[in-house]
Amino acid sequence: MESKKNYIGWTIRIIISFLFIISAIAKMYPSPYFAISTFEVKQLYTLGFSEHIAPYFSRTLIGIELALGFLLLQNNWLKRFIIPMTILLLAVFVGHLTYVTFLSGGNSGNCGCFGELLPMTPIEAIIKNIVAIGLLGYLYYLLPKETQKHNFWILTTVLFATILGIYMIAPIQPAAANFVNAPIEEIQQDTITEATTSIDTIKSETPVIEVKKDSIKKVKVEAENPNEPKKIKSGNAAFFPSIDKGKKLLCFFVPGCDHCRLAAKELTEMRKKDASLPPLSIIFMNEEADLIPAFFKEAGATYPYKIIEIIPFWTTLGSGKDTPGVKYLWNGNEIKYYWGIDGNKFNGEDLNVYLHKSYEDLKK
């Protein structure tokens, strides 16, 4: 009977330990900076954490999560401290996910429990955590009290080692002010590294009517072109002044994000095949901004860009959206928006179809 209890107990400990260790590691996939900043936005900023405190809290929390995963496999303070603390942490996660689900009014998107490695909806994560709490409760019942050890130094050593390890893997990044944004007017749109001919996008200008008054003042009246959507303000002119004029592509990328690099590379390949592709501008999130040169090298071209801080980046990207983001604008109007890596992810062939649709076809 005792051997059976011991077998069940170790099975539960290994399962829960595996979940915690994988969860901590997954929060740093595929890039520690990108993944942790995504976790901060989805889990911490919604709770009111400031942009200065969140990076420290997120790394410390991931370190604690990783430490609990290891400490569940040893016997020091296991029943008296480790199991109760693990249950408490899971209960906090359940409460937070319930609150987030209530605020969002649904069960959509990735909660971030396993980062981008294993997308999981809030309801799925709540169920997973409740099951884990139940298993830990049963483990607490199975473990005999008298066999527990009480070497507190093992706990503190593992805890500080895991937290320090997270800070070493993903140190706090300096502010974007330390990096230089690319001068918008100086970067040529067709600067392809593999030597393609630079061809400016042909723009059709609407006729300008000059009205003279008293032979002194000239007033320019720009006639609306019925073959184009009416000009509006997209809200992005603060980043790129000419973004609302004609056809434009606005991208939201993270320098260390592999998916973002692939999207940028595909856009460059499209430009090689079709030089009439609209001008492309990039808004980078301030995570690993020093990797921007490597980003452009892999993309195969350099484009105008701006670097903005984490919270403004996600706000500009849009609620519920994820990177990479590629937005097709025409006179400031959002014609097509690709975002994330799931059903609405960037598709070059699909974008090419939209780019060649007339305004009449787009209205249908």
Side-chain angles (χ1 to χ4, degrees):
M1 185 67 178
E2 288 299 322
S3 62
K4 184 178 180 180
K5 285 185 177 181
N6 186 54
Y7 174 78
I8 295 173
W10 269 106
T11 301
I12 294 174
R13 290 166 70 176
I14 291 172
I15 291 173
I16 303 301
S17 173
F18 178 80
L19 286 175
F20 270 75
I21 293 172
I22 294 299
S23 177
I25 294 174
K27 288 185 177 70
M28 296 181 285
Y29 171 86
S31 163
Y33 298 103
F34 169 62
I36 291 178
S37 63
T38 302
F39 172 74
E40 291 166 8
V41 171
K42 294 184 176 181
Q43 302 295 341
L44 302 182
Y45 294 145
T46 55
L47 293 178
F49 282 84
S50 71
E51 191 170 348
H52 301 289
I53 296 176
Y56 295 95
F57 187 87
S58 62
R59 286 160 174 78
T60 303
L61 182 61
I62 294 172
I64 293 173
E65 189 176 18
L66 185 60
L68 288 174
F70 289 125
L71 291 173
L72 282 168
L73 299 176
Q74 56 83 55
N75 292 323
N76 288 278
W77 291 86
L78 182 61
K79 188 170 183 177
R80 182 176 296 185
F81 184 77
I82 300 300
I83 293 178
M85 284 302 299
T86 307
I87 291 175
L88 177 61
L89 185 62
L90 288 170
V92 170
F93 286 161
V94 170
H96 168 62
L97 289 168
T98 303
Y99 174 71
V100 170
T101 304
F102 174 77
L103 286 182
S104 62
N107 180 40
S108 59
N110 180 13
C111 69
C113 295
F114 288 98
E116 299 297 323
L117 182 64
L118 181 61
M120 183 175 288
T121 65
I123 297 299
E124 291 172 341
I126 290 172
I127 294 173
K128 181 261 295 181
N129 289 340
I130 291 176
V131 171
I133 289 173
L135 289 174
L136 286 168
Y138 186 53
L139 175 63
Y140 186 88
Y141 166 76
L142 290 176
L143 290 176
K145 183 178 180 181
E146 60 272 11
T147 62
Q148 301 305 299
K149 301 177 182 179
H150 303 98
N151 188 335
F152 198 76
W153 287 107
I154 292 180
L155 273 63
T156 55
T157 301
V158 173
L159 177 62
F160 286 114
T162 54
I163 293 176
L164 179 61
I166 299 300
Y167 276 91
M168 292 177 65
I169 294 172
I172 305 298
Q173 290 286 286
N178 294 336
F179 301 98
V180 179
N181 286 318
I184 297 172
E185 302 300 331
E186 294 182 8
I187 292 185
Q188 192 173 357
Q189 279 291 333
D190 294 298
T191 308
I192 307 298
T193 56
E194 294 185 11
T196 59
T197 304
S198 175
I199 303 176
D200 292 331
T201 304
I202 300 174
K203 299 179 180 179
S204 59
E205 296 184 354
T206 54
V208 177
I209 305 171
E210 293 186 358
V211 181
K212 293 184 178 180
K213 184 178 180 180
D214 299 329
S215 301
I216 298 175
K217 295 182 180 179
K218 292 184 179 181
V219 180
K220 291 185 178 181
V221 179
E222 189 174 359
E224 288 188 9
N225 189 337
N227 297 320
E228 296 182 355
K230 185 179 179 181
K231 292 182 178 180
I232 65 170
K233 295 181 180 180
S234 66
N236 298 300
F239 305 112
F240 306 102
S242 62
I243 196 72
D244 297 332
K245 298 177 182 178
K247 294 182 178 181
K248 297 290 193 304
L249 293 177
L250 180 62
C251 301
F252 299 88
F253 292 150
V254 181
C257 169
D258 291 335
H259 297 291
C260 298
R261 294 189 176 199
L262 289 173
K265 187 174 182 179
E266 186 173 354
L267 285 164
T268 299
E269 292 298 322
M270 290 174 63
R271 180 173 295 280
K272 290 181 181 180
K273 297 176 182 178
D274 183 3
S276 66
L277 196 75
L280 186 152
S281 303
I282 299 174
I283 295 178
F284 280 118
M285 183 173 74
N286 182 31
E287 283 290 343
E288 298 182 291
D290 57 313
L291 295 180
I292 290 176
F295 182 98
F296 284 136
K297 183 177 181 180
E298 186 171 338
T302 54
Y303 300 104
Y305 70 89
K306 285 290 183 180
I307 306 171
I308 62 176
E309 295 299 327
I310 297 172
I311 295 180
F313 177 87
W314 289 101
T315 302
T316 308
L317 178 67
S319 177
K321 305 295 191 302
D322 211 337
T323 55
V326 179
K327 186 180 292 188
Y328 167 35
L329 299 170
W330 192 354
N331 288 344
N333 297 271
E334 183 182 307
I335 305 300
K336 184 64 178 177
Y337 195 3
Y338 304 93
W339 51 269
I341 59 174
D342 296 319
N344 202 53
K345 66 180 181 180
F346 172 67
N347 184 310
E349 293 183 1
D350 186 68
L351 173 61
N352 196 50
V353 172
Y354 274 91
L355 289 173
H356 290 88
K357 280 187 177 182
S358 66
Y359 181 47
E360 287 297 324
D361 290 335
L362 288 173
K363 290 193 295 184
K364 293 179 181 179

